[in-house]
Amino acid sequence: MNFTSRRRTHHRSEETEGPGLTALLPPPSVPGLDPDRELLLKEALLREAAVAAPRGGLTPRAARPRRRLVRVMVPAVACALAVGGVVVVNLVDAPGRGTTAAPGDRTPGTSEAAQLLDRIALAAAGEKQPTVRADQFVYIESKVAFAGQSAGGGKVITPPAHTRQVWLSADGSRPGLLREEGEPDSSLGDDAPVYDLDHRGATPRPRTAHKKAASISDPTHEYVASLPTDPDALLKLIRDETHGQGQDPDQRAFTAIGDLLAETWAPPQVGAALYKAAAKIPGVTVIDAATDAAGREGVAVARTAHGQQTQWVFDRTTYAFLGERTVLTESGDAGPAGTVVGTSAVLTRAAVDRTGETPAPTTA
């Protein structure tokens, strides 16, 4: 997961490596699919086997770093946020940096990644998801860790992963809540009051500010649910809305999709369209083995740009999205190539009625 400062409230940066997916990733059936969907999956896999190109000399392509974690945001310029004597590194698109594959990354082009994303999309389309009412909140619990650097500089240090909980108003009409282990609670989307002054000497009169419209960079659940399910139309919308948010339009799109995957709860058909849209982005590759912040190992889809690789980690059997990871692909002041500078793991997604409420634990 790349980790620049995130959309609503977070910081991260991104990207890394891999060797031979075909041997490690047999095409299993996706648990929970009905017979018709399972048949469709089998037919898709047979088509892939029939057209698979021979493995051999492969050429590298382009890529980028991550955003915000709130996996969830993407800034346009590099910056560092000083807090209590610590600088949180915001690794974003920087001009003049080239693309370098992470150590061990095969970078085979888009064919293998497109095939994997097609399987992931098919699994996502078959997921069961309850309806989220407009007056509810989407609750997401995750484990996250982001690299920091002392004010005096030096190598970045990634602390142990900690718990992150976020409550996001489904329709955007009420403030959300961010709760991170070891930090005070933060209100999300709660704009400062606006005051009108009727005349000189009058008492300022508070009024409600006009709320910003939801967007790819600042989505509500209702907005995500309304996104196009045609991958071409969806990718065009993402490119249009993220225009100007970095040097690399392909990486901007990849990062924006990753943000939506990590801290929204897209309906199944929209989720499938996001994966299919990602498959159309040049430079997307496959990492045979990657681990999320909770220690779960899976297969990853990745993109490398500006010295970082952003990885989306998926369960090897169910293709469920597990989390993100961002890895340095170039050695520098922040550390050697291969340094993990951001990692996350999505643990729970649910709809709840109020901020601070958590879903009842599920029983086997």
Side-chain angles (χ1 to χ4, degrees):
M1 120 177 145
N2 58 21
F3 293 79
T4 4
S5 115
R6 208 161 177 152
R7 163 179 71 229
R8 289 166 226 211
T9 55
H10 191 24
H11 309 279
R12 56 188 215 187
S13 23
E14 9 197 320
E15 318 182 31
T16 124
E17 56 234 89
L21 170 69
T22 305
L24 297 177
L25 185 64
S29 299
V30 178
L33 297 182
D34 59 38
D36 289 338
R37 287 210 161 276
E38 186 168 346
L39 178 59
L40 285 173
L41 176 57
K42 289 178 179 177
E43 291 174 350
L45 297 177
L46 288 173
R47 286 196 305 272
E48 293 168 12
V51 301
R55 304 175 67 104
L58 304 166
T59 53
R61 311 196 44 175
R64 171 245 149 179
R66 181 226 154 16
R67 75 184 161 289
R68 358 169 263 249
L69 175 51
V70 101
R71 142 154 204 134
V72 205
M73 311 144 271
V74 185
V77 291
C79 64
L81 174 65
V83 182
V86 174
V87 175
V88 177
V89 176
N90 188 11
L91 298 166
V92 297
D93 293 354
R97 300 291 302 279
T99 297
T100 303
D105 189 1
R106 281 178 292 112
T107 322
T110 59
S111 175
E112 189 176 17
Q115 291 175 18
L116 176 57
L117 283 164
D118 188 57
R119 297 176 195 170
I120 292 168
L122 187 58
E127 289 180 356
K128 304 295 185 224
Q129 184 186 113
T131 300
V132 181
R133 301 193 314 268
D135 64 340
Q136 288 186 302
F137 291 82
V138 171
Y139 168 77
I140 299 174
E141 180 181 349
S142 56
K143 287 279 189 183
V144 301
F146 303 99
Q149 189 175 44
S150 69
K155 292 183 179 180
V156 298
I157 298 173
T158 302
H162 63 272
T163 301
R164 170 187 174 84
Q165 297 168 288
V166 62
W167 289 261
L168 304 172
S169 173
D171 65 359
S173 64
R174 291 173 294 168
L177 176 67
L178 171 67
R179 180 171 291 165
E180 295 208 46
E181 190 176 325
E183 299 290 339
D185 289 357
S186 300
S187 181
L188 302 179
D190 189 12
D191 297 329
V194 175
Y195 293 89
D196 285 332
L197 193 64
D198 294 329
H199 55 80
R200 186 187 294 262
T203 301
R205 176 169 48 84
R207 65 177 171 84
T208 302
H210 295 294
K211 296 193 74 67
K212 291 189 304 182
S215 65
I216 291 294
S217 298
D218 189 18
T220 62
H221 179 77
E222 285 192 347
Y223 175 82
V224 173
S226 72
L227 290 173
T229 55
D230 174 78
D232 291 307
L234 179 55
L235 184 56
K236 182 181 185 303
L237 173 65
I238 291 170
R239 289 188 185 281
D240 289 346
E241 289 210 12
T242 59
H243 180 73
Q245 295 180 7
Q247 303 296 318
D248 181 344
D250 290 329
Q251 190 61 27
R252 289 199 309 262
F254 189 80
T255 295
I257 293 173
D259 287 347
L260 293 172
L261 296 176
E263 253 177 20
T264 69
W265 199 17
Q269 294 302 322
V270 174
L274 286 169
Y275 292 123
K276 290 179 180 179
K280 295 177 178 292
I281 298 173
V284 179
T285 61
V286 169
I287 306 299
D288 293 336
T291 304
D292 71 7
R296 298 175 297 189
E297 191 272 341
V299 62
V301 172
R303 196 169 190 280
T304 305
H306 311 291
Q308 299 178 64
Q309 185 178 80
T310 304
Q311 303 174 358
W312 304 340
V313 185
F314 297 91
D315 185 277
R316 196 179 296 281
T317 301
T318 66
Y319 300 126
F321 178 83
L322 299 181
E324 289 184 305
R325 198 164 74 142
T326 300
V327 183
L328 298 181
T329 59
E330 299 176 0
S331 297
D333 293 342
T339 300
V340 177
V341 293
T343 180
S344 73
V346 177
L347 305 179
T348 304
R349 298 182 202 257
V352 296
D353 293 332
R354 60 191 64 85
T355 58
E357 178 184 356
T358 58
T362 57
T363 57

